[in-house]
Amino acid sequence: MEDLASYQVGTMHYSRILIAVDDDDFVSSRRAFDYACTVAKIYNIPLGVAMVLETGDMNVFQSLSPETLSDWRENITRDLNTYCEKAREFGVLDVQPLLAEGNPGREIAEKLIPSFKPDLLVIGSETKSGRRKTLGTHAAYLARYASCSVIIVRSDAQGAAMIKDIKHDTAK
């Protein structure tokens, strides 16, 4: 306890933020994106906007079709550029798009974080429904394996549903 008694709270600032947005889950990505843009704007720091083309979502025929793969890449690139433009419109001065292909958790942890070098990763989390509330698969993976601090942001609807479930469970 002596260490705690002499401890003084200090300020903490981030120098680079990476926001990972999921093209398939706008609900959970939106609030995380808002948070990352807000922090990047307040501190006037670079914001990396990352998206991963989930090749595992394709069936074997789609993955073998150069035209289909090209269409998917074109769509995700368009969406990534839209996110970057939204961040700039909000007032973030330094916005960098980052795109990868493969498993999102691994691509972000093993490729995008080492190349962009953020000190904070912001991600949304799809909440699984049912009695047990769990983090989305990629959010849990990144919270465990990312080499930087991770903030997981839930959407308003997810938070409200969890509070309702907690109140229901404690009333029993």
Side-chain angles (χ1 to χ4, degrees):
M1 278 314 249
E2 282 183 40
D3 290 339
L4 179 58
S6 63
Y7 167 75
Q8 291 188 352
V9 177
T11 60
M12 185 174 169
H13 299 279
Y14 297 107
S15 60
R16 295 173 73 78
I17 297 175
L18 179 63
I19 171 68
V21 292
D22 184 347
D23 209 31
D24 294 335
D25 187 12
F26 180 65
V27 172
S28 67
S29 293
R30 179 181 59 210
R31 186 152 172 168
F33 184 74
D34 290 350
Y35 179 83
C37 286
T38 300
V39 174
K41 180 180 176 181
I42 289 170
Y43 290 111
N44 192 26
I45 57 176
L47 175 68
V49 181
M51 292 184 91
V52 178
L53 174 60
E54 295 185 60
T55 51
D57 285 353
M58 297 179 184
N59 67 41
V60 71
F61 299 108
Q62 291 172 321
S63 65
L64 294 174
S65 166
E67 186 177 292
T68 300
L69 197 52
S70 177
D71 289 346
W72 282 42
R73 285 181 180 134
E74 186 179 305
N75 290 337
I76 199 168
T77 300
R78 182 193 64 238
D79 291 349
L80 177 59
N81 289 333
T82 300
Y83 272 107
C84 291
E85 187 56 37
K86 297 276 184 197
R88 289 183 193 101
E89 289 170 4
F90 182 72
V92 181
L93 301 178
D94 185 354
V95 182
Q96 299 173 35
L98 302 162
L99 183 60
E101 291 184 22
N103 176 286
R106 272 191 240 122
E107 291 297 314
I108 293 166
E110 296 172 12
K111 294 181 182 168
L112 298 180
I113 289 174
S115 70
F116 185 70
K117 297 180 179 43
D119 46 7
L120 177 65
L121 170 65
V122 178
I123 52 176
S125 176
E126 179 181 13
T127 302
K128 306 298 181 198
S129 59
R131 183 143 172 80
R132 288 185 28 184
K133 302 297 183 205
T134 60
L135 286 175
T137 306
H138 302 303
Y141 182 90
L142 288 165
R144 184 171 185 172
Y145 294 108
S147 60
C148 60
S149 295
V150 178
I151 292 180
I152 300 170
V153 180
R154 294 190 185 273
S155 72
D156 288 333
Q158 291 168 332
M162 289 180 67
I163 290 169
K164 180 182 173 189
D165 287 348
I166 290 168
K167 286 180 180 178
H168 181 268
D169 288 345
T170 56
K172 290 181 180 180

